[in-house]
Amino acid sequence: MSETCAIRITGLEKVFPNGVRALNGVDLEVKEGEFLAVLGLSGSGKSTLLRCINRLLDPTAGHIEIFGRDITRVEGAELRALRRQIGMIFQQFNLVKRHSVLVNVLSGSLGRAGLFRSLFLSYTAEERERAQTALSRVGLGERGASRADALSGGQQQRVAIARALMQEPKLILADEPVASLDPALRHSVMRHIEALNKESGMTVVCSLHDIDLVTRYATRCVALRDGRLVHEGDPADFTIETLRHIYGAEAEFGFHG
Ligand code: ADP
Ligand code: MG
């Protein structure tokens, strides 16, 4: 049997209402089990790409198959079912700061209606147990009762990972998950994302700025420039020339590859 495609993107274009062409003909396949890093300067289209993949944004043209189903062509219950397979991790964590850590994690089990239910309804014992398990998995099993904003940035991002785990997703989209963190905390978050990939077999697509993190964690790397894919390869094969190609000739690198 051939390798299964987690994501197959063809001819993807996104033009915003103001006329900005953020994605300009992207073709990309992500195999099940890959840890794909997406590189590129600010404004190159990384967030737009990730948001089109789970249809937080509607593409202008092109197709995106998620495990064989075209997410650009489904609506309603089918779209929600497909989205449930996709866990999203954001640069700014997107936790409800004044809620407890556990309530933030529980909201992940419910998709988009979660916040309302987390405020007004109770959860089943089974959901609470799963939330507790997810928290323990990211090393925060003792912090469920804390207010979310009492935690460090690295811990808050681990809460966001636990929240994504509540969906039991097959695919994780992480949009610069460590860009808001002190460098000393970045590995503590990246290692948990790595564990989702290596231990739980989840496919990961993760935009990153730091080349060291790409070479350390990703199994493959692509780069965007002005909405087009300009590079695809093994992070171990990075050279200064590759980086110049991605970032432009004026870029400077402290390169230890
Ligand atoms: P990156 O995540 O790589 O920094 P983005 O995907 O956020 O890049 O942005 C790609 C391009 O699209 C940029 O030129 C950005 O200004 C533009 N853009 C992003 N979101 C919007 C939006 N909602 N409306 C208009 N333009 C946008
Ligand atoms: Mg972005």
Side-chain angles (χ1 to χ4, degrees):
M1 217 173 76
S2 63
E3 281 178 293
T4 318
C5 250
I7 308 173
R8 180 184 282 123
I9 297 172
T10 45
L12 183 62
E13 292 182 22
K14 177 64 186 177
V15 183
F16 285 107
N18 63 358
V20 171
R21 185 171 285 274
L23 296 173
N24 195 357
V26 171
D27 298 302
L28 174 65
E29 286 191 2
V30 185
K31 300 271 186 280
E32 222 174 330
E34 277 194 291
F35 190 130
L36 180 77
V38 181
L39 286 174
L41 289 170
S42 288
S44 60
K46 303 180 296 296
S47 296
T48 304
L49 175 64
L50 293 179
R51 285 167 176 275
C52 284
I53 291 173
N54 68 357
R55 253 190 74 189
L56 286 174
L57 288 172
D58 280 319
T60 307
H63 293 285
I64 304 173
E65 287 179 19
I66 308 292
F67 302 107
R69 294 286 300 132
D70 189 345
I71 196 167
T72 64
R73 297 211 164 177
V74 296
E75 295 297 339
E78 209 178 346
L79 176 59
R80 285 194 295 278
L82 210 45
R83 272 208 183 115
R84 223 170 286 132
Q85 302 186 27
I86 308 174
M88 188 86 189
I89 298 168
F90 299 93
Q91 179 176 346
Q92 299 299 339
F93 326 139
N94 291 12
L95 301 181
V96 183
K97 289 183 168 44
R98 64 198 168 74
H99 284 176
S100 73
V101 164
L102 193 69
V103 163
N104 271 284
V105 175
L106 277 164
S107 72
S109 64
L110 305 160
R112 311 191 109 199
L115 188 54
F116 292 98
R117 200 169 144 213
S118 67
L119 287 170
F120 301 117
L121 296 176
S122 61
Y123 290 89
T124 64
E126 188 263 358
E127 283 171 318
R128 286 174 177 278
E129 200 177 307
R130 284 207 297 124
Q132 187 57 47
T133 303
L135 267 181
S136 300
R137 227 179 125 172
V138 296
L140 295 171
E142 313 296 316
R143 299 306 299 273
S146 304
R147 258 177 70 129
D149 59 4
L151 272 55
S152 73
Q155 290 171 331
Q156 288 189 43
Q157 191 60 298
R158 282 148 60 194
V159 173
I161 293 170
R163 178 182 56 190
L165 278 174
M166 286 299 283
Q167 290 169 240
E168 299 177 338
K170 291 164 72 179
L171 171 64
I172 295 282
L173 306 177
D175 193 0
E176 302 200 29
V178 296
S180 301
L181 303 177
D182 288 328
L185 300 176
R186 290 181 182 165
H187 286 288
S188 78
V189 167
M190 289 306 299
R191 275 195 293 267
H192 287 289
I193 298 176
E194 181 181 45
L196 302 183
N197 177 249
K198 284 199 171 151
E199 291 163 26
S200 305
M202 294 177 197
T203 306
V204 174
V205 179
C206 180
S207 61
L208 288 168
H209 265 283
D210 186 333
I211 306 297
D212 288 338
L213 294 179
V214 175
T215 52
R216 164 74 180 76
Y217 294 100
T219 58
R220 190 161 66 100
C221 167
V222 296
L224 284 167
R225 192 168 175 176
D226 298 329
R228 295 175 192 274
L229 280 184
V230 293
H231 172 79
E232 188 274 309
D234 184 335
D237 298 336
F238 267 142
T239 63
I240 290 280
E241 289 316 310
T242 320
L243 297 174
R244 288 215 176 97
H245 183 50
I246 297 171
Y247 291 111
E250 71 275 28
E252 291 172 29
F253 305 103
F255 192 62
H256 15 268

